[in-house]
Amino acid sequence: MLVARHRARLENVSDELRARHSINIEILAADLTKRTQLRRVADRIADRDRPIDLLVNNAGFTTGKSLLKGDLAGEEAMLDVLCRAVLVLSHAGALSMKERGRGHIINVSSVAGFVPTSTYGAAKAWVTAFTETLAHELAGSGVTATALCPGFTRTELQERANIDSSRVPKVLWLEADSLVRDCLDDVTAGKVISVPGLQYKVIAGLAQVVPNSLARAVSGRVNSLRRPKR
């Protein structure tokens, strides 16, 4: 089942997946900033007659601006998608899966959450902490919860936020396909935190041991490599 805001794009992706893999695809167009539409997705996830064994909370965006220079409404919408939607959909998925005694939940977080230097990083820190809490509650139930914490990844995120990432060194970029494979391996292994890429495993490890002031300075410097397009 694929969920996104735009039905036309969902139909294009579903047609491609059907042709390539000969599988059935269900699509559901929903704007997760709208509570009634979010509830519709949650109700579908909780449907006992059409169970879902793997839930991936991947929806997200960034405003690309600082809190005090940006639009507050945009910040609120980002929180709705990055945090509230993850809470509501994980709740629906966890209850349904726990009842059946099996299933996996993947919440896409970010290494930016280990040392937040933006509201986006702060939201991702919540996602990681929430997923750890959820995993603890689900222990022994046959259901797992994993926080996927990637670094810079080649997706539409930067383009949609009108961010120029051309100055980010090549060594820091991850490819989506390999990232997904690494994450699924970690899910199979029962890991609660999945950090794909050796470079980011090192960064995440250092973030836990260096002084917070130093970690924030380094993180802020790396984050500054991205800038709004002109």
Side-chain angles (χ1 to χ4, degrees), residues 147-167:
L148 170 60
C149 302
F152 291 111
T153 306
R154 300 191 186 280
T155 66
E156 295 180 351
L157 181 72
Q158 286 80 22
E159 181 181 347
R160 285 178 172 271
N162 197 37
I163 292 175
D164 179 8
S165 299
S166 60
R167 295 188 299 167

Side-chain angles (χ1 to χ4, degrees), residues 1 43 53 73 94 106-107 112 118-119 132 146 155 162 168 177 200 204 224:
M1 184 181 78
D43 289 344
D53 293 320
I106 299 173
N107 292 327
S118 65
T119 50
E132 290 182 289
T146 301
T155 66
N162 197 37
V168 177
D177 288 349
Y200 287 109
S224 71

Side-chain angles (χ1 to χ4, degrees), residues 82 107-118 120-129 147-153 157-158 168 171-174 179 186 193-208 215-216 218-220 222-223 226:
L82 266 58
N107 292 327
V108 179
S109 185
S110 171
V111 292
F114 293 139
V115 189
T117 59
S118 65
Y120 176 83
K124 291 302 188 180
W126 181 90
V127 172
T128 300
L148 170 60
C149 302
F152 291 111
T153 306
L157 181 72
Q158 286 80 22
V168 177
V171 70
L172 292 180
W173 284 104
L174 298 172
L179 180 155
D186 286 343
I193 306 294
S194 174
V195 181
L198 178 59
Q199 66 275 52
Y200 287 109
K201 286 181 171 61
V202 172
I203 291 171
L206 289 175
Q208 308 303 312
R216 283 194 298 270
V218 173
S219 180
V222 171
N223 198 48
R226 302 188 306 167

Side-chain angles (χ1 to χ4, degrees), residues 9 12 17 30 38 40 58 80 82 84 94 102 126 129 169 186 203 210-212 214 217 219:
R9 293 196 68 185
N12 289 339
L17 290 174
L38 175 62
R40 193 167 78 246
N58 184 51
D80 281 341
L82 266 58
R84 190 174 190 279
R102 67 182 186 278
W126 181 90
D186 286 343
I203 291 171
V210 302
N212 287 341
L214 176 60
S219 180

Side-chain angles (χ1 to χ4, degrees), residues 12-221:
N12 289 339
V13 173
S14 63
D15 288 345
E16 180 183 343
L17 290 174
R18 288 190 187 100
R20 183 180 300 178
H21 302 290
S22 299
I23 56 177
N24 294 322
I25 302 291
E26 176 185 349
I27 61 174
L28 178 56
D31 183 343
L32 300 185
T33 66
K34 311 297 184 184
R35 295 199 173 200
T36 54
Q37 296 185 39
L38 175 62
R39 174 44 54 188
R40 193 167 78 246
V41 179
D43 289 344
R44 171 60 187 88
I45 291 171
D47 190 338
R48 290 185 175 89
D49 296 328
R50 295 178 294 168
I52 292 174
D53 293 320
L54 173 64
L55 169 64
V56 182
N57 282 312
N58 184 51
F61 67 94
T62 178
T63 64
K65 299 177 181 178
S66 68
L67 174 63
L68 300 183
K69 294 180 180 179
D71 173 43
L72 183 59
E75 295 287 344
E76 290 180 305
M78 185 176 70
L79 269 182
D80 281 341
V81 174
L82 266 58
C83 297
R84 190 174 190 279
V86 170
L87 171 69
V88 172
L89 301 183
S90 293
H91 180 264
L95 287 177
S96 179
M97 293 175 185
K98 188 175 180 180
E99 187 177 87
R100 300 193 306 274
R102 67 182 186 278
H104 305 285
I105 298 172
I106 299 173
N107 292 327
V108 179
S109 185
S110 171
V111 292
F114 293 139
V115 189
T117 59
S118 65
T119 50
Y120 176 83
K124 291 302 188 180
W126 181 90
V127 172
T128 300
F130 166 75
T131 305
E132 290 182 289
T133 300
L134 180 62
H136 177 73
E137 287 198 38
L138 291 171
S141 68
V143 183
T144 68
T146 301
L148 170 60
C149 302
F152 291 111
T153 306
R154 300 191 186 280
T155 66
E156 295 180 351
L157 181 72
Q158 286 80 22
E159 181 181 347
R160 285 178 172 271
N162 197 37
I163 292 175
D164 179 8
S165 299
S166 60
R167 295 188 299 167
V168 177
K170 289 184 178 181
V171 70
L172 292 180
W173 284 104
L174 298 172
E175 297 296 332
D177 288 349
S178 58
L179 180 155
V180 170
R181 286 193 296 269
D182 289 347
C183 178
L184 292 177
D185 286 343
D186 286 343
V187 169
T188 301
K191 292 185 179 181
V192 176
I193 306 294
S194 174
V195 181
L198 178 59
Q199 66 275 52
Y200 287 109
K201 286 181 171 61
V202 172
I203 291 171
L206 289 175
Q208 308 303 312
V209 297
V210 302
N212 287 341
S213 58
L214 176 60
R216 283 194 298 270
V218 173
S219 180
R221 173 57 182 160

